[in-house]
């Protein structure tokens, strides 16, 4: 990164202080090899610098007799609890011994007991911290001189900042105790200046311009330190902007798996509501009266992508005694992630007693919910929306979203339960010496679950003959998906099953949370391709394996073990119930889309929209307004198109 900064400075004809980087790979290994904090301290205190003497001597020769040492901690940006403030102060070193001692002390600062304690409080184990935290040491000539010294922050979109900030003070301080502050636009215009201010603002505008340049070059916010002697501006260092203590990290990584493209405003609004209520419901169920206040923006939208406050949600799950990654598991449809605690440990943990009960009862909880809501679930297919008025449609949409709240919570509990079941199954396999077959066992259990749309597609594909598949493939190659579907439906049984598939799985799962998903016609076009793909990838084999779920287990050496069979059956039951939850979420979101499109039809009839699909460009409160919405839809369409061509950051950090 320092190399990029230096090149950008040189290209901008700035006076640059040469910076040498000491990555400290050997010290990193000393930390990573330690099992405890005490071991790491001893390893660093006893580290032998003799192997580095030659490179240090060259450093002294090239930089000069006096070296200014600055430390740059290297930790995951998600560690918003990490305070880099203790590394801000630069040290002046005169001899080789001072240089070695300074580097050793810098690395020992990473092991400060308060930092380790903050890591523990944030759910980062001591072992993980020691294997992850690192640091680079920046060495420069110590030719500081009187005058202004300052610091410039590049514009930071993740904090909602569109301008650069510059602070400076008299003397050669480190810029923290700033006497003045400026706000400077990306074009170099001073938007806000202190009163009174120094007469010469050249260092301010130049440092702001360079900070903006570097932020663009490195695709991340950065901080510049500089000094000014009244004639010449010298830049000392450029580093990534650290996350502030108490900052919140918002992540879209898991959501991006389900929504690979930016969402329209309506879809984003619905997803944000579901995630917000999931956070509230999870806290109320697992923590009771001790639940922390859920931030109003626990889920937010940035450039069409939905972000979840991972700082809050991970803390919430950790306080309940659950794996911090449980929400990511939910969004990624991942049920075999490593869990932090075994099921037995979870149940014994006093602070997690509510969570232990909720996880243990996850399967009967969903089954009871399905039984209690059988009428509403039947309505997802049977009730038409064309006869509803505008007010009735919006009321039905809100009722549907409220209806989904416990379902989404149940799905989260089921996926955590699935992780525990997978762990139990792995232990049983390991006891028989066949733990390397875990992946196959889980795949067999998943294929047997029975409610995944792709499982049904397998069953249909297995009935398609070779000749029919060949003719359908030829039609697809010509771009005639309608003819391909007719070819596949020449068999009456296949035709009947495909019609049932389209009715039952009207939400064709291209994206489980994208309310703006493909239309029914688009899904029909995709269906022949998906059907032939399933056939080519072994649909018949998967269907055969699913007919007798225990047959595959019987083929294993030691597969007749009673405990192993019991845990395998528990895994299959949990998988089947989990698929039910996904199934009903998919159907509910499909119906939400039908209600929205019906609202769009009504708005078109009244002349308030040009096209019914434009309703997905609106926000829900706008649907209740009695005014022309065409201008809003046109403006939003341009924004959505712009978002499609941009790349949103995976993580944003806010105060």
């Amino acid at each position: 990164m320092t190399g990029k900064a230096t090149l950008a400075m040189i290209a901008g004809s700035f006076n640059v202080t040469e910076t040498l980087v000491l990555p400290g790979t050997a010290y990193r290994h000393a930390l990573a090899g330690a099992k405890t904090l005490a071991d790491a301290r001893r390893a660093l205190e006893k580290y032998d610098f003799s192997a580095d003497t030659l490179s240090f001597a060259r450093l002294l020769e090239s930089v000069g007799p006096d070296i200014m040492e600055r430390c740059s901690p290297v930790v995951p940006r998600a560690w918003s609890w990490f305070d880099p403030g203790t590394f801000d102060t630069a040290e002046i070193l005169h001899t080789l011994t001072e240089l070695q001692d300074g580097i050793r002390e810098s690395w020992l600062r990473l092991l400060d007991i308060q930092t380790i304690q903050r890591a523990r409080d944030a759910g980062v184990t001591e072992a993980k911290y020691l294997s992850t935290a690192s640091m680079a040491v920046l060495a420069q000539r110590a030719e500081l001189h009187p005058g202004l010294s300052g610091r410039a922050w590049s514009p930071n979109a993740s904090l909602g900042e569109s301008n650069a900030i510059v602070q400076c003070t008299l003397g050669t301080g480190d810029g923290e105790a700033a006497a003045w502050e400026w706000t400077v636009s990306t074009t170099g215009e001073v938007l806000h200046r202190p009163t009174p201010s120094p007469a010469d603002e050249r260092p301010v505008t130049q440092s702001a311009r360079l900070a903006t340049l570097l932020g663009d070059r490195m695709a991340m916010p950065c901080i510049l330190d500089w000094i000014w002697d009244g004639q010449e501006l010298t830049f000392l260092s450029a580093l990534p902007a650290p996350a502030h203590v108490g900052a919140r990290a918002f992540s879209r990584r898991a959501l991006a798996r389900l929504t690979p493209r930016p969402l329209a405003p309506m879809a984003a609004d619905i997803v944000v509501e579901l995630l917000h209520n999931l956070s509230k419901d999870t806290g109320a169920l697992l923590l009771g009266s001790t639940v922390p206040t859920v931030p109003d923006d626990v889920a937010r939208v940035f450039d069409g992508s939905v972000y979840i406050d991972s700082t809050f949600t991970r803390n919430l799950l950790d306080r309940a005694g659950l794996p911090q990654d449980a929400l990511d598991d939910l969004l990624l449809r991942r049920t075999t992630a490593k869990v932090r605690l075994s099921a037995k440990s979870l149940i014994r943990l006093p602070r997690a007693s509510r969570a232990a009960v909720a996880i243990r009862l996850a399967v009967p909880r969903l089954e009871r919910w399905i039984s209690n809501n059988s009428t509403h679930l039947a309505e997802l297919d049977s009730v038409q929306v064309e006869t509803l008025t505008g007010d009735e449609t919006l009321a039905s949409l809100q009722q549907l979203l409220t209806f989904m709240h416990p379902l989404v919570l149940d799905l989260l509990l089921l996926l955590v339960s699935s992780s525990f079941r997978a762990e139990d199954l792995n232990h049983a396999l390991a006891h028989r010496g066949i733990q390397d077959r875990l992946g196959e066992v889980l795949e067999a259990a998943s294929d047997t679950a029975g409610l995944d749309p792709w499982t049904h597609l397998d069953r249909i594909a297995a009935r398609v003959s070779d000749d029919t598949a060949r003719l359908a493939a030829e039609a697809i190659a010509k771009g005639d998906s309608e003819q391909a579907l007719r070819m596949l439906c020449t068999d009456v049984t296949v035709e009947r099953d495909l019609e049932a598939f389209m009715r039952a799985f009207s939400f064709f799962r291209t994206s489980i949370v994208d309310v703006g998903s493909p239309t029914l016609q688009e899904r029909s076009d995709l269906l022949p391709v998906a059907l032939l793909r399933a056939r080519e990838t072994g649909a018949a084999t998967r269907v055969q394996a699913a007919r007798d779920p225990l047959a595959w287990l019987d083929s294993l050496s030691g597969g007749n073990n009673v405990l192993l069979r019991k845990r395998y059956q528990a895994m299959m039951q949990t998988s089947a119930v989990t698929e039910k939850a996904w199934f009903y979420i998919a159907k509910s979101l499909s119906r939400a889309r039908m209600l929205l499109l019906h609202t769009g039809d009504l708005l078109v009839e009244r002349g308030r929209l040009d096209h019914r699909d434009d309703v997905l460009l609106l926000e829900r409160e706008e649907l209740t307004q009695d005014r022309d919405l065409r201008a809003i839809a046109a403006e939003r369409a341009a924004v959505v198109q712009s978002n499609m061509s941009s790349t949103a950051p995976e993580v944003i950090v806010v105060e």
Side-chain angles (χ1 to χ4, degrees):
M1 185 169 188
T2 304
K4 289 184 178 181
T6 302
L7 291 175
M9 291 177 187
I10 292 173
S13 300
F14 290 103
N15 182 25
V16 180
T17 297
E18 182 183 9
T19 301
L20 301 179
V21 183
L22 307 177
T25 305
Y27 326 129
R28 160 74 268 138
H29 291 162
L31 277 190
K35 296 186 181 298
T36 66
L37 176 61
D39 290 341
R41 283 185 173 280
R42 283 193 294 270
L44 288 175
E45 288 168 354
K46 296 179 180 179
Y47 182 79
D48 183 4
F49 282 95
S50 59
D52 303 317
T53 301
L54 183 59
S55 60
F56 286 165
R58 289 173 179 165
L59 174 64
L60 288 168
E61 181 181 347
S62 61
V63 173
D66 297 334
I67 294 177
M68 182 171 65
E69 175 208 53
R70 292 172 179 265
C71 303
S72 178
V74 181
V75 297
R77 288 187 63 79
W79 288 6
S80 56
W81 50 266
F82 185 88
D83 182 10
T86 57
F87 299 91
D88 280 349
T89 303
E91 295 187 21
I92 306 300
L93 308 172
H94 304 285
T95 66
L96 178 62
T97 301
E98 286 186 15
L99 178 61
Q100 293 174 348
D101 291 342
I103 292 175
R104 192 192 311 274
E105 288 300 318
S106 297
W107 277 83
L108 285 171
R109 255 183 282 168
L110 277 177
L111 306 182
D112 177 83
I113 189 61
Q114 293 181 344
T115 298
I116 299 295
Q117 186 57 53
R118 282 197 296 270
R120 291 171 182 156
D121 294 342
V124 178
T125 64
E126 192 171 294
K128 183 175 181 180
Y129 179 82
L130 293 176
S131 65
T132 307
S134 185
M135 187 170 60
V137 176
L138 310 182
Q140 300 161 322
R141 290 190 302 275
E143 295 179 350
L144 300 179
H145 42 71
L148 284 176
S149 62
R151 178 169 285 183
W153 284 261
S154 66
N156 191 337
S158 67
L159 298 179
E161 298 169 351
S162 57
N163 302 300
I165 304 295
V166 180
Q167 294 179 351
C168 71
T169 186
L170 281 172
T172 56
D174 59 5
E176 286 295 336
W180 301 287
E181 179 174 302
W182 287 259
T183 302
V184 185
S185 71
T186 55
T187 61
E189 178 187 0
V190 176
L191 303 177
H192 176 267
R193 57 173 48 88
T195 303
S197 68
D200 194 342
E201 290 187 338
R202 282 180 296 168
V204 173
T205 55
Q206 285 188 36
S207 63
R209 187 160 59 90
L210 182 57
T212 301
L213 168 67
L214 294 181
D216 292 340
R217 284 285 184 92
M218 295 181 284
M220 66 176 71
C222 68
I223 296 175
L224 294 178
D225 285 333
W226 51 268
I227 54 176
W228 169 258
D229 65 357
Q231 299 291 329
E232 190 173 56
L233 187 68
T234 300
F235 291 96
L236 304 176
S237 65
L239 301 171
H244 302 286
V245 176
R248 300 160 64 199
F250 286 77
S251 174
R252 74 177 185 95
R253 289 193 181 102
L255 281 163
R257 175 76 174 269
L258 294 174
T259 58
R261 60 187 183 277
L263 294 177
M266 184 66 72
D269 177 49
I270 289 175
V271 173
V272 165
E273 177 178 323
L274 290 175
L275 289 172
H276 182 271
N277 283 284
L278 173 62
S279 300
K280 289 177 58 178
D281 296 343
T282 301
L285 177 67
L286 303 183
L287 296 176
S289 59
T290 64
V291 61
T293 302
V294 178
D296 291 337
D297 62 342
V298 71
R300 59 183 293 187
V301 182
F302 182 77
D303 282 351
S305 296
V306 177
Y307 290 76
I308 185 76
D309 184 348
S310 55
T311 303
F312 174 82
T313 55
R314 289 172 66 85
N315 178 61
L316 176 70
L317 293 168
D318 185 62
R319 287 179 59 179
L322 296 183
Q324 289 187 331
D325 295 327
L327 183 58
D328 286 347
D329 292 344
L330 164 65
L331 299 172
L332 293 172
R333 299 199 66 212
R334 182 173 59 200
T335 60
T336 58
K338 291 294 183 182
V339 292
R340 184 169 59 83
L341 299 169
S342 68
K344 291 182 179 178
S345 299
L346 175 70
I347 292 171
R348 292 190 186 124
L349 196 63
R351 71 186 178 95
S353 57
R354 294 175 67 95
V357 172
I359 299 306
R360 188 169 61 246
L361 301 179
V363 170
R365 177 187 174 92
L366 181 70
E367 291 177 331
R368 184 173 63 252
W369 180 87
I370 292 174
S371 176
N372 294 340
N373 292 278
S374 56
T375 302
H376 295 296
L377 293 173
E379 290 174 353
L380 294 178
D381 282 330
S382 60
V383 176
Q384 300 299 313
V385 300
E386 288 78 9
T387 58
L388 298 177
T389 65
D391 290 341
E392 291 172 339
T393 304
L394 296 181
S396 296
L397 177 62
Q398 186 55 55
Q399 290 170 3
L400 181 63
L401 296 177
T402 303
F403 171 72
M404 290 179 65
H405 292 170
L407 177 58
V408 177
L409 174 61
D410 288 345
L411 179 56
L412 174 65
L413 299 176
L414 282 165
L415 284 166
V416 176
S417 178
S418 295
S419 291
F420 285 121
R421 295 291 164 265
E423 192 73 6
D424 289 342
L425 186 56
N426 188 40
H427 288 156
L429 290 168
H431 186 68
R432 310 300 299 176
I434 51 176
Q435 63 270 22
D436 58 323
R437 310 298 291 272
L438 176 64
E440 298 173 45
V441 176
L442 294 176
E443 185 176 345
S446 177
D447 287 342
T448 309
L451 273 174
D452 190 316
W454 309 118
T455 302
H456 284 257
L457 205 62
D458 278 345
R459 293 172 180 169
I460 300 172
R463 298 194 186 100
V464 176
S465 67
D466 292 342
D467 290 341
T468 300
R470 178 178 53 78
L471 293 173
E474 290 175 356
I476 291 173
K478 296 176 182 178
D480 193 344
S481 58
E482 188 175 336
Q483 175 64 15
L485 193 58
R486 282 199 297 270
M487 290 291 182
L488 293 169
C489 290
T490 52
D491 184 296
V492 176
T493 304
V494 172
E495 180 182 17
R496 185 185 66 243
D497 288 346
L498 280 177
E499 289 177 356
F501 176 84
M502 289 296 289
R503 286 197 307 272
F505 300 101
S506 54
F507 186 98
F508 200 83
R509 195 184 298 172
T510 55
S511 171
I512 204 69
V513 296
D514 189 352
V515 182
S517 61
T519 64
L520 285 175
Q521 181 57 51
E522 291 168 335
R523 295 170 196 163
S524 297
D525 293 342
L526 291 170
L527 187 53
V529 178
L531 193 65
L532 293 181
R533 178 64 178 163
R535 188 177 183 277
E536 293 168 0
T537 57
T541 302
R542 292 191 292 270
V543 170
Q544 182 62 37
R547 284 174 181 158
D548 185 357
L550 294 176
W552 186 89
L553 194 60
D554 291 337
S555 67
L556 292 179
S557 174
N560 59 351
N561 177 265
V562 175
L563 178 62
L564 176 58
R565 296 173 79 86
K566 179 180 179 181
R567 291 188 171 176
Y568 178 66
Q569 289 173 319
M571 182 73 225
M572 283 195 302
Q573 182 188 23
T574 306
S575 296
V577 175
T578 303
E579 281 299 337
K580 286 184 181 180
W582 279 117
F583 170 59
Y584 288 122
I585 285 178
K587 290 171 72 67
S588 298
L589 288 172
S590 179
R591 181 160 178 80
R593 188 172 192 277
M594 292 170 62
L595 290 168
L596 286 169
L597 292 179
H598 177 58
T599 300
D601 286 331
L602 296 177
L603 292 174
V604 170
E605 289 177 7
R606 297 168 190 163
R608 295 170 57 195
L609 280 182
D610 290 329
H611 309 284
R612 72 167 190 165
D613 288 353
D614 288 349
V615 72
L616 299 175
L617 298 168
L618 304 175
E619 296 176 357
R620 273 190 291 165
E621 61 267 18
E622 292 170 337
L623 299 180
T624 61
Q625 301 172 7
D626 188 17
R627 62 191 180 101
D628 194 327
L629 300 169
R630 288 175 291 187
I632 295 176
E635 182 180 344
R636 298 266 174 78
V639 172
V640 170
Q641 186 61 37
S642 174
N643 290 339
M644 292 291 286
S645 60
S646 63
T647 302
E650 288 190 336
V651 178
I652 57 177
V653 180
V654 301
E655 290 289 347

